[in-house]
Amino acid sequence: MLALSRRWPEPEADYRRWHRERAHNDFGLGAVRLVRVDTYLWVANMIGQHGMRTGSKGPPVRYDAIDRALTEVGRRALELEASVHMPRIGCGLAGGNWGRVEPLVLERLSACGVQVTVYDHD
């Protein structure tokens, strides 16, 4: 998220506003908001984790929420005739396992005809 925020501040600002006003909107596990940052470029803010740190209930990643969010991202990508470019979502600070996330990406995006590129960052 840091690299995105440096280049386009709008998605982070939108996410913070969405979270701040959560009592009056759909902010919650599995929710998605698309933020347009350029003519043909959108950023999807997806809620795929609960909390920020690993605790007694394990890591914050929630695979069912990622699954629901990817379903919506796939629907919107098809609608926009867009491809999806992303890091290994849910596998950084959220503590997820790519072996569990990748099948969701394949099923919810690739199998529906959405072109997907996954990037590895240092």
Side-chain angles (χ1 to χ4, degrees), residues 4-58:
L4 278 173
S5 293
R6 275 189 228 123
R7 182 145 185 197
W8 302 288
E10 301 92 343
E12 182 178 354
D14 182 77
Y15 175 86
R16 290 180 184 280
R17 186 172 39 259
W18 187 27
H19 179 265
R20 190 174 50 251
E21 298 170 0
R22 67 189 175 279
H24 307 288
N25 63 41
D26 67 343
F27 185 94
L29 288 170
V32 177
R33 283 188 40 133
L34 268 64
V35 180
R36 187 179 221 149
V37 295
D38 206 341
T39 306
Y40 300 106
L41 188 61
W42 299 78
V43 173
N45 281 324
M46 305 183 335
I47 312 301
Q49 69 184 65
H50 181 74
M52 299 290 288
R53 299 188 186 127
T54 297
S56 62
K57 295 183 180 180

Side-chain angles (χ1 to χ4, degrees), residues 49-88:
Q49 69 184 65
H50 181 74
M52 299 290 288
R53 299 188 186 127
T54 297
S56 62
K57 295 183 180 180
V61 67
R62 297 295 182 262
Y63 298 107
D64 59 331
I66 291 173
D67 187 37
R68 286 194 309 274
L70 286 172
T71 298
E72 178 63 13
V73 168
R75 186 186 72 72
R76 294 294 306 275
L78 290 171
E79 200 174 86
L80 293 167
E81 298 180 4
S83 57
V84 172
H85 298 255
M86 62 186 197
R88 291 182 182 218

